[in-house]
Amino acid sequence: MNEARRQNGQAAAPRVLIVEDEEALSLLLSYNLEAEGYVAERVARGDEAELRLLEGPPDLVILDWMLPGLSGLEVCRRLRARDATKTLPVIMLTARGEEGERVRGLSIGADDYVVKPFSLPELMARVRALLRRSRPERVAETLAAGDLLLDRATHRVRRAQRDIHLGPTEFRLLEFLMEKPGRVLSRAQLLDGVWGTAAEIDERTVDVHVGRLRKALSRGREADPIRTVRGAGYSFDERFGK
Ligand code: CA
């Protein structure tokens, strides 16, 4: 792996297979995964997932428990039995009240499980954590642009050799923006990605946190890496540091 490419977060996009029969949830997951730079594929049935996995394994599977065709449990058991998918990271989605089943899920080889309804940022964090563990080269540990460096592992941010102290929300906001340089993100997208869809927060809260983030990042005449796009939202300036 080329270190410079990795630093810029340009490693080949990891592929995530979503196996979920709830159309709305499946779309929401794929939308958010793609926004974070993954390639998402969706299937709605367990037997379809089985066929898809036989064609060629993705980098990670998000697998619903209750599925038509073949249960998530059975899909997981079968993929673990094959060499090509023996170590494929699997996150199982279970409904509340199926806690006893979770133990079975983990015992047949799921790496992690998430109980519905879950927070999207939490699921995304688990996706990143699992990929980092299984294929460290596929998830950039650090995001860099110009003189700005964000280290996901240590949660440290540095600019021009000095430490930038950010609260957890500002850190996540910067990480979210830096993952998608040049892309304009609406306040609603930032709320979903940073605070989670379940959060009941006013969109103006986003402006407050962007303001704090800007204040922390730039000193004196230093360039502001965040662009305000009137009527649309914010983006991380892709020309920053160039
Ligand atoms: Ca289901």
Side-chain angles (χ1 to χ4, degrees):
M1 174 60 60
N2 178 315
E3 189 62 26
R5 276 181 62 210
R6 184 175 148 190
Q7 289 251 330
N8 286 321
Q10 301 291 310
R15 286 161 46 238
V16 178
L17 178 66
I18 302 162
V19 190
E20 169 59 75
D21 56 325
E22 283 172 52
E23 175 83 8
L25 178 58
S26 172
L27 275 171
L28 181 74
L29 289 174
S30 97
Y31 172 81
N32 279 275
L33 287 163
E34 303 225 316
E36 290 216 11
Y38 300 103
V39 175
E41 269 183 78
R42 308 188 296 128
V43 296
R45 299 175 52 93
D47 44 2
E48 268 180 78
E50 168 93 343
L51 288 174
R52 177 60 198 79
L53 288 165
L54 286 168
E55 282 165 19
D59 294 299
L60 183 140
V61 184
I62 297 176
L63 184 59
D64 186 32
W65 187 278
M66 300 291 285
L67 289 167
L70 197 64
S71 76
L73 189 76
E74 186 56 23
V75 172
C76 188
R77 200 187 61 73
R78 293 188 188 182
L79 70 86
R80 282 292 175 257
R82 290 190 295 268
D83 279 341
T85 49
K86 199 174 270 172
T87 60
L88 176 64
V90 176
I91 298 178
M92 293 226 47
L93 303 180
T94 66
R96 208 170 282 289
E98 294 172 350
E99 271 85 355
E101 301 288 277
R102 280 197 249 156
V103 179
R104 269 175 74 207
L106 291 174
S107 73
I108 53 116
D111 298 277
D112 204 349
Y113 58 84
V114 172
V115 180
K116 293 179 187 176
F118 49 81
S119 102
L120 220 37
E122 191 196 331
L123 179 65
M124 292 299 156
R126 291 185 187 208
V127 166
R128 273 196 299 274
L130 265 182
L131 282 172
R132 195 176 292 141
R133 214 158 72 203
S134 65
R135 307 212 167 169
E137 77 283 6
R138 301 299 291 272
V139 177
E141 277 289 302
T142 55
L143 297 169
D147 56 1
L148 190 61
L149 189 74
L150 178 146
D151 189 325
R152 301 189 209 252
T154 60
H155 270 229
R156 282 178 72 191
V157 175
R158 293 178 66 77
R159 180 164 191 187
Q161 312 305 321
R162 71 174 188 275
D163 282 318
I164 305 275
H165 299 283
L166 297 177
T169 303
E170 281 74 34
F171 179 87
R172 181 66 197 121
L173 184 58
L174 179 62
E175 183 184 21
F176 196 69
L177 286 163
M178 284 184 84
E179 279 165 350
K180 301 162 259 293
R183 193 171 146 161
V184 180
L185 296 155
S186 68
R187 288 169 180 81
Q189 285 173 321
L190 288 167
L191 272 183
D192 283 357
V194 177
W195 283 266
T197 39
E200 296 205 6
I201 298 171
D202 195 277
E203 291 192 358
R204 271 168 299 185
T205 306
V206 175
D207 301 331
V208 172
H209 285 276
V210 169
R212 278 189 206 155
L213 178 58
R214 278 182 161 143
K215 210 170 154 202
L217 288 178
S218 302
R219 208 156 68 175
R221 302 170 72 97
E222 281 178 337
D224 182 358
I226 299 166
R227 270 197 315 137
T228 302
V229 183
R230 281 184 76 177
Y234 297 100
S235 78
F236 190 86
D237 194 342
E238 75 272 32
R239 291 158 309 178
F240 175 73
K242 292 190 181 142

